[in-house]
Amino acid sequence: MTESVVLDPVDLHLLRLLQNDARTTYRDLAAQVGVAPSTCLDRVARLRRSGVILGHRLELDPAKLGRGLEALLSVQVRPHRRELVGPFVERIRALPESRTVFHLTGPDDYLVHVAVADMADLQRLVLDEFTARREVARVETRLIFQQWECGPLLPPSPTAQSA
C-alpha cells in the first residue's frame, strides 16, 4: 500500500482549486491561496513529484461523440486465474467503448463502464466482446440514466481518522 503524503492547508487549497479547474494559471492559484506565484509553482511541482497529482485530463461529452448510451457491465470471469484475467483486462481496456474497468471483490469480478451509440451497439458489444469470450461466465448490464461528479478528493480529516 502506498504511503500517504502529509499535506498542509495551502496544499489542500491548491488541490481543491486544481481539481475544479486544472487549467488555472499559477498566478491565479497563488492569488486565491495567498502565496507568491513562485511558491505556488514549487508546491504544485512537489505535489507532482510526490505522486499526489498524477496528471491532467480532458473530459469529453460521450453523447456529442456519438456515444449517448452509457452502461455498467458486471462481469464474472471463470476460472478467475491470473493467466486468464490479464489478457481479459487488456482486451477490455483496448475497446473504444470502455471508459473505466474496476477489479472487484464479491460475486462479480469486474465492473466496466462503457459508452455506446445505442441499444443495438450495446447488445453487439456484450455479445461479441464479452460473452463470446470463453473466460466470461456472466455479464449483467445496468444502464446509466444520469451521473454527477462529486467534490474534490482530499485526505480524511483528522476527526474522521480517529473515529
Side-chain angles (χ1 to χ4, degrees):
M1 188 169 171
T2 305
E3 294 281 329
S4 62
V5 175
V6 177
L7 303 171
D8 67 17
V10 173
D11 294 329
L12 294 173
H13 196 179
L14 285 169
L15 292 173
R16 270 190 209 94
L17 293 169
L18 286 170
Q19 284 185 85
N20 288 331
D21 184 359
R23 296 180 309 158
T24 305
T25 65
Y26 288 116
R27 176 172 289 156
D28 290 343
L29 283 172
Q32 291 180 61
V33 175
V35 298
S38 60
T39 301
C40 181
L41 178 65
D42 290 343
R43 282 181 173 260
V44 172
R46 181 180 53 79
L47 291 167
R48 281 195 187 105
R49 281 191 313 274
S50 67
V52 172
I53 296 176
L54 297 176
H56 307 278
R57 64 174 235 231
L58 179 68
E59 289 187 55
L60 303 174
D61 183 339
K64 291 186 177 164
L65 296 172
R67 296 184 182 277
L69 181 64
E70 294 185 70
L72 296 172
L73 307 179
S74 300
V75 182
Q76 249 184 21
V77 174
R78 295 293 178 261
H80 194 185
R81 293 194 319 251
R82 189 174 303 279
E83 64 269 14
L84 291 176
V85 299
F88 169 77
V89 169
E90 290 311 308
R91 173 64 187 139
I92 298 312
R93 289 184 66 212
L95 294 171
E97 297 89 353
S98 294
R99 305 285 314 264
T100 311
V101 180
F102 299 94
H103 191 193
L104 308 172
T105 63
D108 297 316
D109 300 309
Y110 295 93
L111 184 64
V112 184
H113 177 193
V114 298
V116 295
D118 52 30
M119 196 62 75
D121 196 25
L122 179 60
Q123 181 181 23
R124 177 207 50 80
L125 178 70
V126 170
L127 294 175
D128 294 348
E129 300 295 344
F130 285 85
T131 60
R133 296 187 63 89
R134 63 184 170 87
E135 69 272 23
V136 173
R138 184 179 66 78
V139 175
E140 193 172 300
T141 304
R142 292 174 180 83
L143 298 180
I144 298 173
F145 291 137
Q146 193 170 3
Q147 69 185 54
W148 296 268
E149 291 293 322
C150 297
L153 178 65
L154 297 171
S157 66
T159 55
Q161 288 177 342
S162 62

